[in-house]
């Protein structure tokens, strides 16, 4: 294992044709310019709201780069290509911001359909969903903030619990690992509690249900330790996707506006340290906890590889998975897979308009300010040079 593993661009971009590489270069160049992302985001939202014909443009640029398609069937070419190079797929129905009960039922049906769809496919051992995909944000928030629910809200809450249970039960039956996303801290406690109940019910033998730990929150190591204590006491397995967290600005802004202590670590370094501590804790307790490392951070990935080596663990130990998002950090995904590690790529899909919040988050985290773009651009430039493209 050397520090240059992730610099191997031949492996990183082996699925990209020359023209796809050029498109990626153009795209990352564009979204590296922060004002352009801000203006582009506002203009796109407006254009979609006004029903202007911009879907084609979005599809052929950001959408096709970061998403597998508008339906799961659309994604199958990508899934098969990834599987050929040893990368598993995590199809992510990325429709967000819904508020109606019928829409939550439709999302549940979609997740169930996806679990059934994944059943006989070795390339797709995971399913994923967001708590707010199955119930109104307000309900999660009220429960998190210990506010009383109205009679109608109580019924909505019961329906959310039912949706969770149906999905988790089917995942257990089909042996599909279920990754539940982490969201804003002011609704997350109730989602954590419900996930804990599902783990207690369905993770008795194997970790089927996974929660997410967002390590930009300084309280997550203590939370993990407490979850570990409870799981040991009650006799069930834990599964955690470990990420840094995608809602930092929103979290800090809200805390400042409302005058409470921010749940976010005081610096990037503090988040990195917290992330690495959480990962190390899990690696020290693999008999009880399974790890899905959701990150594009090379240092945390190397650290995990190093600890695995020190502990004499197999590269493909079934309790350790590395995950990146489709369209990002292929240099990590494909080089890890080539070395024999377990890698899952999140592939978002859904109607263009509905995946816009997801695409906007990706564009924002890839501006020059956030820092990831320069790495992507450097790698693409290196590969263009290797292929002797202009
Ligand atoms: C497979 C996968 C699944 C994911 N699922 C989720 C999910 O369920 N929920 C979710 O919220 N996110 C999720 N994410 C997104 C993730 O949380 C990060 O936004 C993204 O991956 C960037 O973090 P990084 O670890 O790749 O590395 P880096 O690029 O090294 O870290 C960037 C992150 O560090 C943190 N950070 C940056 N600056 C500061 C600062 N000044 N102070 C404190 N912290 C700072 C922020 O979290 C920022 O996103 C997922 C990512 C992947 C790859």
């Amino acid at each position: 294992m050397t520090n240059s593993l992730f610099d191997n661009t031949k492996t990183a971009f082996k699925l990209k044709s020359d023209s796809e590489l050029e498109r990626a270069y153009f795209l990352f160049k564009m979204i590296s310019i922060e004002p352009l992302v801000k203006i582009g985001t506002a203009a796109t939202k407006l254009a979609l709201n006004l029903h202007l014909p911009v879907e084609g443009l979005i599809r052929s640029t950001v959408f096709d780069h970061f998403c597998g398609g508008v339906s799961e069937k659309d994604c199958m070419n990508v899934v098969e290509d990834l599987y050929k190079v040893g990368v598993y797929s995590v199809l992510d129905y990325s429709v967000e911001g819904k508020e109606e009960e019928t829409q939550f039922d439709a999302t549940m049906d979609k997740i169930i359909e996806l679990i059934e769809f994944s059943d006989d496919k070795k390339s797709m051992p995971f399913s994923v969903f967001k708590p707010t995909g199955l119930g109104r944000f307000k309900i999660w928030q009220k429960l998190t903030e210990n506010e009383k629910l109205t009679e109608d809200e109580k019924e909505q809450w019961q329906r959310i619990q039912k949706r969770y249970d149906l999905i988790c039960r089917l995942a257990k039956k089909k042996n599909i690992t279920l990754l539940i996303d982490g969201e804003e801290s002011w609704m997350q406690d109730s989602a954590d509690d419900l996930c804990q109940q599902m783990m207690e019910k369905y993770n008795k033998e194997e970790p089927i249900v996974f929660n997410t730990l967002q390590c930009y929150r300084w309280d997550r190591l203590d939370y993990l330790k407490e979850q570990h204590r409870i799981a040991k006491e009650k006799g069930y397995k834990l599964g955690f996707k470990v990420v840094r967290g995608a809602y930092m600005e929103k979290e800090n802004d809200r805390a400042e506006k409302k005058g409470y202590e921010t749940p976010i670590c005081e610096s990037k370094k503090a988040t990195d340290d917290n992330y690495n501590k959480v990962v190390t804790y899990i690696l020290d307790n693999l008999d009880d906890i399974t790890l899905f490392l959701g990150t594009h951070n090379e240092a945390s990935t190397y650290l995990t590889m190093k600890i695995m080596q020190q502990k004499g663990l197999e590269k493909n130990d079934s309790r350790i998975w590395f995950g990146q998002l489709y369209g990002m950090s292929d240099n990590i995904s494909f080089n890890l897979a080539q070395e024999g590690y377990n890698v899952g790529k999140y592939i978002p899909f859904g109607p263009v308009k509905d995946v816009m919040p997801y695409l906007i988050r990706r564009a924002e985290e890839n501006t020059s300010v956030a820092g990831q773009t320069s790495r992507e651009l450097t790698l693409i430039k290196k590969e263009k040079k290797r292929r002797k493209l202009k």
Side-chain angles (χ1 to χ4, degrees), residues 188-332:
Q188 190 61 42
D189 283 1
S190 55
D192 286 342
D193 291 347
L194 185 54
C195 187
Q196 184 188 327
Q197 285 172 34
M198 295 296 118
M199 288 199 197
E200 189 177 340
K201 195 164 171 189
Y202 295 108
N203 288 8
K204 288 270 188 251
E205 295 95 28
E206 297 294 330
I208 288 288
V209 182
F210 280 48
N211 201 358
T212 297
L213 297 170
Q214 295 159 305
C215 298
Y216 60 13
R217 287 183 57 172
W218 45 259
D219 64 354
R220 288 298 90 173
L221 183 60
D222 287 342
Y223 172 77
L224 167 64
K225 289 180 181 169
E226 179 61 5
Q227 286 295 303
H228 188 197
R229 187 192 63 73
I230 297 169
K232 273 181 96 129
E233 193 181 288
K234 297 194 172 174
Y236 62 92
K237 304 275 182 199
L238 290 171
F240 283 109
K241 173 172 59 148
V242 183
V243 302
R244 279 180 170 73
Y247 308 94
M248 183 177 73
E249 280 178 20
K250 238 173 152 181
E251 291 281 357
N252 283 332
D253 286 353
R254 185 174 191 269
E256 201 186 314
K257 255 187 219 131
K258 297 205 171 249
Y260 60 83
E261 184 188 8
T262 177
I264 305 297
C265 294
E266 62 184 11
S267 63
K268 171 71 163 70
K269 163 100 178 45
T271 294
D272 291 344
D273 290 347
N274 197 36
Y275 188 94
N276 294 339
K277 276 187 205 154
V278 164
V279 167
T280 305
Y281 182 89
I282 297 180
L283 291 170
D284 284 339
N285 290 284
L286 284 173
D287 286 341
D288 305 323
I289 317 175
T290 293
L291 172 65
F292 187 103
L293 213 83
T295 187
H296 303 137
N297 183 294
E298 294 178 14
S300 294
T301 309
Y302 277 126
L303 176 73
T304 307
M305 293 157 75
K306 191 168 137 207
I307 297 174
M308 287 172 73
Q309 195 180 44
Q310 283 165 353
K311 288 184 180 291
L313 297 169
E314 296 287 337
K315 287 179 176 171
N316 68 347
D317 189 304
S318 62
R319 298 164 301 179
I320 304 164
W321 282 81
F322 296 85
Q324 290 77 41
L325 306 177
Y326 184 66
M328 288 178 73
S329 298
D330 286 348
N331 64 316
I332 301 182

Side-chain angles (χ1 to χ4, degrees), residues 95-147:
V95 167
E96 297 183 24
K98 301 289 179 199
E99 285 289 310
E100 303 293 327
E101 288 298 295
T102 49
Q103 293 169 323
F104 299 134
D105 282 336
T107 301
M108 178 191 72
D109 291 343
K110 190 71 187 173
I111 297 160
I112 286 181
E113 203 183 304
L114 272 173
I115 296 175
E116 300 277 8
F117 184 71
S118 309
D119 185 23
D120 56 348
K121 296 180 185 65
K122 282 210 178 89
S123 51
M124 295 162 51
F126 299 99
S127 205
V128 55
F129 69 83
K130 276 197 161 21
T132 55
L134 296 181
R136 271 175 62 219
F137 191 99
K138 196 78 206 161
I139 306 286
W140 295 108
Q141 182 178 356
K142 274 185 129 178
L143 287 164
T144 296
E145 292 175 342
N146 289 322
E147 263 188 63

